[in-house]
Amino acid sequence: MAAKSLVKPILYLVLIGLSLFYLMPIYVMFITSLKPLDQVTLADMWKLPTQIDFSSYVKAFTKLAPNFLNSIYLVVPATLISALLGALNGYVLSKWRFKGSEVIFTAILFGMFIPYQSILIPLIQFLREIGLYNSIPGLILVHVVYGLPITTLMFRNFYASIPESMIESAQMDGAGFLRIFYYIMIPLSVTGFVVVAIWQFTNIWNEFLFAVTITTSDQQPVMVALQNLSGSQIVQWNVQMAGALIAALPTLLVYIFLGKYFVRGLLAGSVKG
Amino acid sequence: MEPVKVSKQSGTQVSVNLPKKKKKLNGDRLLAIAFLTPSIILAAIFIYGFIGWTGYVSLSKWNSLVPDFSFAGLKNYLFLFQDYRFQADIRNTIVFTVLFIGFVLIVGLFLAILLDQKLRGESLFRNIFFFPMAISFVVTGVAWQWLLNPSTGVNLFLKKFGLDSKWYTDITIIGGFHLGKIEFGIPVALLAVIIAAVWQMTGFSVAMYLAGLRGIPEELKEAARIDGASEFQVYRKVVIPMLAPITVSVVIIMAHISLKIFDLIYAMTGPGANFVTDVPGVYMFETTFRGNYYANGAAIAIIMLLSVAIFIIPYLIISRRGEK
């Protein structure tokens, strides 16, 4: 019994130790971002700032603000459109299956796993052709298209749990395809929309490969601007850390307030749902 | 969109309505297919069409700014496999994938089991392990570039123990031996990137394992305990084997992330001296969009795709089949 009573404190100790490891990067980013440049020395890296200095935030914000806005213009429409399309696809693929619909679904799902490098060259040629290269609408299109597999998957699994009898009785009452979708499926899938929207928001906000190849300078989303910040000649670590925190803030806030739904999205991405 | 008429008739007239309803059902089915069609077309063009086009480019001579689609055969692929940088990429991808997945599985399972012990503050701990998942690889790269800066950070601690790692600037290859043009082994610099990647992605395996653990009935564990199994044996003999399907899923998901990784490495270290932290994703990006070697870039992309497809396709087929 004496051994047993020791187990819990040890478990806590291990958990706290690991938690500190997981929080360490955030701690260092945060204290570094609050230091004036002359205090950002390698030796003092772990020490708290002697006085709090917001100038790195001002600097980082001035540089990142336009790109931050770009990210918002990108992520809001892209998230909404891809969620809506995903809901429609999921509805068809779960409640209106037809011959070959399973094959189509699997074929769409494959798009979720491909390395995007394998479509990048034609994609850019195509975007140039239709005049959307180096534009936010171009990026929106890209994120809607390549978001289709995951949003379709999430909604399809979500709708699969809605009983068939509900659809049948609605049909008895004479409701058709669109009416059932609008009056039954959408109201029943509010949670589904939240999960998918959070998932898409986080992914599109954090995405880098499309952003860096499809847009240049003033059209670039915030992650590319952040990366450029570190690419400049003199590395001002405090400004960089402030910039990283600013860029990460929206998704962190979403996680803090809606983390439960984020984790659901995480689990839904593993195909089996 | 045509407005859908609602029949006001009640269910008593089912037999009268039946033929009409059948017809309507067909109309709805067509409508359903019509709504799916745009997505099918988009997927056909943007996924399969573009992959096909990339494959075509990879067989062409387009290695300059001006597109040149004349046929080059497998020349670009042959070039890559004899290329020092690409050989280094293959080594790095293998090392990265194995170590990254290994750590994500072990740390994830360990944390999940800890969190499953009905401790107080479990949700706080869970949130701490999950939150890096919500952060961009670029942010992670920037943060860890600072943390693992050779002359600082973690090293200030390690130096007290007599360790002095150069982290991502180290060009040492552990256990290196000659293979092709490169030194095969574990590049020290890559370990820095692996630490950052594991930090970011363990949340996924913790979440998956935790969901799995919650699904194992308590009676099963209890039965094993009654049979005299120690707590450790309960996990080793009963719980962990039951988690095998989850392990498979985690391995597949992590493997495809690892094989196409780009942003973390690009933001944190770049290719590195001697390409010690280079990966195909970074090479493809640089050679295509900085060097205008489109055909070479396309060949790298196709190799990346094949490496993912080899296990994703069976996984998709099997898990889709299992669903029915």
Side-chain angles (χ1 to χ4, degrees):
Chain A
M1 275 298 122
K4 254 223 164 114
S5 66
L6 263 177
V7 170
K8 285 237 156 149
I10 292 172
L11 289 186
Y12 277 112
L13 225 63
V14 174
L15 273 177
I16 291 169
L18 282 163
S19 300
L20 290 179
F21 171 76
Y22 274 84
L23 289 171
M24 173 183 71
I26 295 291
Y27 166 77
V28 173
M29 282 165 86
F30 193 61
I31 58 164
T32 309
S33 71
L34 290 172
K35 286 176 186 174
L37 189 59
D38 60 322
Q39 275 190 37
V40 187
T41 55
L42 304 173
D44 291 338
M45 175 164 177
W46 297 91
K47 291 191 188 128
L48 289 168
T50 49
Q51 90 247 28
I52 290 179
D53 180 28
F54 286 107
S55 64
S56 7
Y57 280 92
V58 177
K59 264 190 213 160
F61 190 75
T62 346
K63 282 212 166 153
L64 296 183
N67 307 89
F68 195 92
L69 273 181
N70 286 345
S71 281
I72 291 175
Y73 295 145
L74 159 67
V75 86
V76 173
T79 300
L80 292 179
I81 300 170
S82 66
L84 199 65
L85 273 177
L88 261 173
N89 291 346
Y91 171 50
V92 174
L93 291 169
S94 63
K95 296 298 177 216
W96 298 91
R97 295 193 196 186
F98 50 91
K99 209 167 174 251
S101 67
E102 289 293 293
V103 177
I104 290 173
F105 177 52
T106 310
I108 292 178
L109 267 191
F110 181 62
M112 199 168 107
F113 297 99
I114 57 166
Y116 293 133
Q117 284 86 353
S118 64
I119 46 89
L120 211 46
I121 295 169
L123 178 68
I124 288 171
Q125 284 183 287
F126 176 78
L127 289 175
R128 275 187 208 278
E129 210 62 45
I130 61 169
L132 286 181
Y133 179 73
N134 192 18
S135 75
I136 305 280
L139 267 185
I140 294 175
L141 173 72
V142 168
H143 282 293
V144 167
V145 170
Y146 294 104
L148 275 180
I150 183 81
T151 58
T152 302
L153 168 72
M154 284 181 173
F155 275 110
R156 182 189 167 279
N157 288 348
F158 200 87
Y159 289 147
S161 65
I162 292 177
E164 215 62 48
S165 58
M166 230 164 179
I167 312 293
E168 278 159 20
S169 65
Q171 283 175 335
M172 290 280 194
D173 291 341
F177 174 81
L178 279 176
R179 231 183 148 77
I180 296 174
F181 181 61
Y182 192 75
Y183 287 106
I184 297 180
M185 304 309 266
I186 290 186
L188 282 177
S189 56
V190 174
T191 325
F193 271 97
V194 174
V195 171
V196 169
I198 287 176
W199 185 254
Q200 283 299 88
F201 175 87
T202 310
N203 274 340
I204 299 171
W205 187 275
N206 290 342
E207 202 277 336
F208 183 69
L209 180 62
F210 286 138
V212 76
T213 46
I214 290 171
T215 52
T216 56
S217 59
D218 58 339
Q219 298 292 314
Q220 282 170 338
V222 70
M223 286 307 158
V224 186
L226 175 66
Q227 159 66 23
N228 291 344
L229 212 59
S230 65
S232 45
Q233 251 68 32
I234 316 141
V235 185
Q236 295 182 303
W237 286 104
N238 53 347
V239 178
Q240 267 215 58
M241 293 302 135
L245 283 173
I246 292 173
L249 192 66
T251 51
L252 274 181
L253 284 180
V254 164
Y255 178 73
I256 289 167
F257 291 111
L258 298 161
K260 196 176 79 183
Y261 300 103
F262 175 76
V263 176
R264 266 210 229 176
L266 203 72
L267 297 175
S270 62
V271 184
K272 277 178 183 164
Chain B
M1 260 140 270
E2 64 174 58
V4 180
K5 280 175 228 134
V6 187
S7 118
K8 295 247 168 65
Q9 285 147 332
S10 63
T12 45
Q13 281 170 303
V14 174
S15 58
V16 183
N17 272 343
L18 210 58
K20 214 174 163 189
K21 192 167 263 168
K22 252 233 162 102
K23 211 172 174 187
K24 194 167 167 217
L25 257 178
N26 284 335
D28 273 344
R29 186 131 291 166
L30 280 178
L31 202 58
I33 295 173
F35 270 97
L36 191 64
T37 306
S39 296
I40 299 174
I41 295 172
L42 285 176
I45 296 173
F46 282 79
I47 300 171
Y48 297 95
F50 283 4
I51 287 174
W53 185 252
T54 304
Y56 180 67
V57 172
S58 77
L59 300 174
S60 77
K61 289 183 180 159
W62 184 13
N63 275 321
S64 68
L65 257 178
V66 191
D68 174 5
F69 292 112
S70 47
F71 188 68
L74 292 174
K75 207 178 118 241
N76 300 305
Y77 291 91
L78 292 175
F79 163 79
L80 282 175
F81 284 108
Q82 284 158 16
D83 180 29
Y84 179 85
R85 181 171 183 178
F86 196 70
Q87 290 187 359
D89 288 359
I90 295 174
R91 170 197 66 204
N92 296 346
T93 303
I94 293 171
V95 171
F96 183 88
T97 304
V98 170
L99 292 180
F100 168 67
I101 296 178
F103 280 119
V104 165
L105 286 178
I106 293 165
V107 179
L109 180 63
F110 179 69
L111 284 174
I113 292 175
L114 278 185
L115 288 173
D116 197 38
Q117 301 305 311
K118 302 183 184 70
L119 300 169
R120 269 160 182 270
E122 183 224 308
S123 77
L124 175 69
F125 287 122
R126 214 175 29 192
N127 280 325
I128 291 174
F129 302 134
F130 286 177
F131 89 91
M133 295 277 317
I135 290 180
S136 166
F137 266 132
V138 178
V139 172
T140 304
V142 170
W144 282 92
Q145 191 187 14
W146 176 223
L147 273 166
L148 295 181
N149 200 301
S151 43
T152 93
V154 177
N155 262 17
L156 289 185
F157 284 132
L158 294 182
K159 263 184 198 151
K160 288 180 186 156
F161 300 100
L163 292 165
D164 188 12
S165 174
K166 289 198 221 122
W167 291 110
Y168 50 81
T169 56
D170 201 326
I171 53 161
T172 320
I173 311 277
I174 303 172
F177 57 90
H178 265 288
L179 189 69
K181 289 190 175 146
I182 56 155
E183 188 82 358
F184 197 91
I186 302 173
V188 174
L190 206 54
L191 296 177
V193 187
I194 292 169
I195 292 173
V198 170
W199 175 81
Q200 173 139 34
M201 299 308 292
T202 26
F204 180 73
S205 61
V206 176
M208 293 280 285
Y209 277 130
L210 211 48
L213 286 169
R214 298 277 144 92
I216 296 175
E218 192 55 43
E219 300 87 69
L220 222 67
K221 286 194 254 175
E222 205 46 55
R225 284 187 198 113
I226 290 167
D227 287 346
S230 70
E231 206 53 25
F232 179 73
Q233 282 173 319
V234 170
Y235 277 96
R236 218 185 67 113
K237 296 267 164 69
V238 180
V239 176
I240 294 175
M242 288 187 77
L243 295 173
I246 293 182
T247 305
V248 173
S249 292
V250 175
V251 168
I252 303 268
I253 305 276
M254 290 301 120
H256 100 274
I257 290 176
S258 143
L259 290 173
K260 64 189 187 189
I261 195 147
F262 163 69
D263 24 13
L264 175 66
I265 290 175
Y266 189 71
M268 189 170 164
T269 63
N274 250 338
F275 303 117
V276 277
T277 57
D278 199 44
V279 284
V282 174
Y283 190 7
M284 188 275 170
F285 173 78
E286 290 193 337
T287 199
T288 312
F289 300 107
R290 300 286 179 261
N292 297 315
Y293 293 99
Y294 284 87
N296 281 347
I300 298 173
I302 292 296
I303 295 169
M304 289 172 74
L305 177 73
L306 290 177
S307 72
V308 170
I310 284 173
F311 59 89
I312 282 294
I313 290 176
Y315 174 70
L316 271 179
I317 291 171
I318 289 166
S319 64
R320 303 281 313 114
R321 233 184 240 149
E323 203 178 84
K324 278 182 238 164

